[in-house]
């Protein structure tokens, strides 16, 4: 069952946990690929020095985060496209970064896109999962309750772990915020 818009209308930290176990799906001309979300990071824009929208910084890149929740915020970091779910209220630019998924459908397509990798290395990072599923900058601003990019119910994780976010060492005190969540013991978690 595809998640409805009201699912995304939770506080960002709550949404980051609620997305764990949900299935992220992308349909392309090459076929469908999907994975259960097993790792997320919350970014609370206005108060979060690690967020692109810190201090309500409004740019062409961050514009979608100022709108309603349940939309796609994609951006390129180095050479990788990263996928986020817009959260928060209108005018409150927050998002949840999807850091890792456990492949569900389209494993052959995922392997083709990712090359000769160990199974656990196919989707265990934010750039890896977007390449594996075919998510790209063209998905920016897409509503997440209709194909070709959507999230549906999956499973309820037994245990969720929480800790510091990864790769944000230059973000002041925000580097220590425990806003990373993952399915405990899942081999697809990035670290």
């Amino acid at each position: 069952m595809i998640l409805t818009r009201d699912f995304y209308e939770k506080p960002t930290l709550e949404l980051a946990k609620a997305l764990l176990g949900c299935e992220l799906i992308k349909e392309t001309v090459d076929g469908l690929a999907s994975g259960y979300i097993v790792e997320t990071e919350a970014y609370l824009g206005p108060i979060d020095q690690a967020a692109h929208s810190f201090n309500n910084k409004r740019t062409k890149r961050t514009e979608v985060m100022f709108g309603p929740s349940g939309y796609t915020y994609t951006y390129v970091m180095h050479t990788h496209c990263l996928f986020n779910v817009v959260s928060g209220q209108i005018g409150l630019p927050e998002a949840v970064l999807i850091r890792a998924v456990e492949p569900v459908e389209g494993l052959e397509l995922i392997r083709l896109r990712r090359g000769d990798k160990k199974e656990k290395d196919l989707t265990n990072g934010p750039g890896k999962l977007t390449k594996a599923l075919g998510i790209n900058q063209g998905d920016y601003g897409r509503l997440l309750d209709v194909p070709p990019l959507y999230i549906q119910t999956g499973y309820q994780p037994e245990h969720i772990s929480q800790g510091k976010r990864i790769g944000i060492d230059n973000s002041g005190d925000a580097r220590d915020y425990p806003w990373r969540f993952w399915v405990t013991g899942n081999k697809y978690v990035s670290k």
Side-chain angles (χ1 to χ4, degrees), residues 2 5 94 184:
I2 295 176
R5 292 183 195 183
E94 299 180 352
T184 306

Side-chain angles (χ1 to χ4, degrees), residues 52 61 73-84 97-99 113-114 117 121-138:
H52 295 154
R61 177 169 83 165
Y73 169 48
T74 54
Y75 63 92
V76 175
M77 176 75 66
H78 306 295
T79 60
H80 303 290
C81 177
L82 304 187
F83 168 76
N84 296 256
L97 171 67
I98 307 302
R99 282 200 57 86
R113 289 175 173 156
R114 289 285 295 130
K117 308 277 186 236
D121 293 329
L122 292 171
T123 56
N124 66 340
K128 294 176 183 181
L129 79 88
T130 55
K131 186 171 183 180
L133 299 184
I135 298 170
N136 58 50
Q137 274 301 99

